[in-house]
Amino acid sequence: RRRPPRSTLFPYTTLFRSQTKLTEILTKERQEWATIVARDITLQSLDFIRKKDLPGLQKMIDKEEKKHREHFVYIFVMDTKGRILAHIFKKDFPGELVGANKVSPGQTSHVQLLETKGGLVYDFASLVSGKEGTLGTIRVGISEKYIRRAVTDVVGTIMGVTALVTGIGILIALGLANF
């Protein structure tokens, strides 16, 4: 009985090695996307914060949450003193989030991986600034599970195609060998 050549295992070993790189690339892509969304929310919130229109700010945050529901764990806005102005939490606001991610002086945003009760979350902080200086901070949280699921989906698809092509190749080789 013949064993398949080692070369048939090569695509799988390559796939497993590339999974790490794929995870890195997709994580970075999701982080860049979330940073852009956080900055968009920041720009939208500027006038609401200036005018102290908290109902309008809450409405805008709720609209953004509906638009990005499958991606975001949370969105909240706080002023420069750490008071929560708007958030999407259905129950009480988890106070430990307030000081968990700070934007350094000279920066306009910061990304921090946080461990929460719901698992690991990438927390994006973006300063709300106007002519009058910094008015507050927008915080957006994306579950690490969401990013991992995206990687798993892509790797699963690649593995399926690789298995199919390998299987077809083996069947053709066996057919030709017996011919």
Side-chain angles (χ1 to χ4, degrees):
R1 179 170 148 99
R2 295 173 120 182
R3 291 178 49 198
R6 289 184 185 192
S7 62
T8 59
L9 300 177
F10 177 73
Y12 298 102
T13 57
T14 302
L15 181 63
F16 287 118
R17 278 189 261 138
S18 64
Q19 183 175 359
T20 303
K21 188 65 176 171
L22 184 61
T23 301
E24 186 182 304
I25 290 167
L26 284 174
T27 299
K28 186 175 181 188
E29 182 269 329
R30 284 285 138 197
Q31 287 179 345
E32 289 171 359
W33 173 79
T35 300
I36 289 167
V37 172
R39 286 184 181 147
D40 180 53
I41 294 170
T42 299
L43 291 172
Q44 291 181 59
S45 67
L46 186 58
D47 282 338
F48 292 114
I49 295 172
R50 272 188 185 136
K51 296 175 184 174
K52 299 187 185 334
D53 179 5
L54 299 186
L57 180 62
Q58 184 64 54
K59 195 174 188 178
M60 186 271 298
I61 293 296
D62 290 340
K63 187 175 109 186
E64 288 298 319
E65 190 268 339
K66 284 179 185 153
K67 198 184 329 177
H68 302 288
R69 181 172 285 150
E70 71 179 74
H71 306 111
F72 294 159
V73 175
Y74 56 78
I75 303 171
F76 67 92
V77 182
M78 59 185 185
D79 67 11
T80 54
K81 294 180 179 157
R83 292 181 296 223
I84 304 304
L85 304 177
H87 65 83
I88 64 165
F89 292 98
K90 303 300 178 213
K91 295 182 180 181
D92 293 335
F93 182 86
E96 66 273 6
L97 285 177
V98 172
N101 185 6
K102 302 261 187 208
V103 179
S104 300
Q107 300 289 316
T108 58
S109 62
H110 186 257
V111 180
Q112 177 90 26
L113 185 61
L114 304 178
E115 191 169 337
T116 68
K117 292 175 187 169
L120 293 175
V121 173
Y122 286 97
D123 184 284
F124 300 84
S126 182
L127 294 180
V128 180
S129 300
K131 297 173 197 164
E132 54 278 88
T134 301
L135 302 174
T137 305
I138 301 291
R139 299 271 297 282
V140 175
I142 294 184
S143 172
E144 186 267 346
K145 289 178 199 170
Y146 168 74
I147 292 171
R148 198 169 354 114
R149 188 172 53 241
V151 171
T152 302
D153 290 349
V154 170
V155 170
T157 301
I158 293 170
M159 281 185 74
V161 169
T162 303
L164 180 65
V165 170
T166 302
I168 291 170
I170 290 172
L171 289 174
I172 291 171
L174 289 173
L176 290 174
N178 292 328
F179 183 65

